[in-house]
Amino acid sequence: LRMHLAEPLLLKLFGEYEKAINMLNVLMCWADILEFKDIRVEQVEYRLSTALHIYHKYLKSDSACPLEAIDTDCVLRSEIKDLINLAASDFGGPFPLETFDRFHWATLHFINLNLFEPYRQTPGYACSMLALKSAYNQVAVDDFEYFEELGRGR
């Protein structure tokens, strides 16, 4: 799973599978939380804006892309909302990058058990592994001729 999430070609193919089964919002949530974690400490307003985006898009009860399939308790959603509200108030200031850690873990766990494991049983998975092998580490005769030319010092 980690290889599929880290490799752009595999992520694209896995994303197409998720889109076909109407679960792309789970992968997008996972990616949005990663983006949130990459925000520098000094960028308080951007971090708050991104946190609000994640909360309103995925966690709020009437959100645009609700993630009801992910089993998270209301307490966790309430804790995240309280952290965001505290940071948005005049007194709160910046809030920790760990704000979404538990939800991020739950998202990754859901992706692994409910999306990636079934994906591994599809022909698309085998095709994605073949696509990965054909995309990288291709050595041809021309490569050796090039190295020979480099060795001559021209």
Side-chain angles (χ1 to χ4, degrees), residues 3-16 27 30:
M3 181 175 71
H4 271 70
L5 295 176
E7 170 58 46
L9 175 64
L10 296 178
L11 183 60
K12 176 185 176 284
L13 297 171
F14 184 49
E16 289 172 0
L27 189 61
W30 176 83

Side-chain angles (χ1 to χ4, degrees), residues 26-151:
V26 178
L27 189 61
M28 298 307 296
C29 178
W30 176 83
D32 284 346
I33 294 173
L34 275 184
E35 178 184 333
F36 172 80
K37 289 181 174 189
D38 286 340
I39 298 171
R40 293 193 318 258
V41 176
E42 310 86 53
Q43 296 177 307
V44 177
E45 294 87 10
Y46 181 54
R47 185 183 300 160
L48 177 60
S49 172
T50 305
L52 285 169
H53 164 78
I54 293 168
Y55 179 77
H56 287 287
K57 188 172 182 180
Y58 305 108
L59 295 171
K60 196 173 175 187
S61 59
D62 61 344
S63 65
C65 299
L67 298 177
E68 296 101 6
I70 298 176
D71 185 27
T72 57
D73 54 13
C74 292
V75 175
L76 175 59
R77 292 173 191 248
S78 176
E79 287 174 8
I80 291 172
K81 181 181 178 185
D82 291 344
L83 281 172
I84 293 171
N85 288 339
L86 181 64
S89 72
D90 294 335
F91 309 106
F95 54 99
L97 288 175
E98 299 82 24
T99 302
F100 294 103
D101 277 358
R102 288 181 24 211
F103 187 71
H104 198 222
W105 183 89
T107 305
L108 186 63
H109 186 70
F110 179 85
I111 290 171
N112 186 41
L113 291 181
N114 300 305
L115 301 174
F116 188 68
E117 286 303 319
Y119 174 64
R120 288 180 62 186
Q121 308 305 319
T122 65
Y125 177 79
C127 290
S128 70
M129 298 314 288
L130 288 174
L132 180 67
K133 288 180 183 178
S134 66
Y136 300 111
N137 299 327
Q138 295 296 316
V139 180
V141 173
D142 293 342
D143 295 327
F144 292 104
E145 292 171 1
Y146 175 71
F147 288 136
E148 184 179 327
E149 195 65 34
L150 284 175

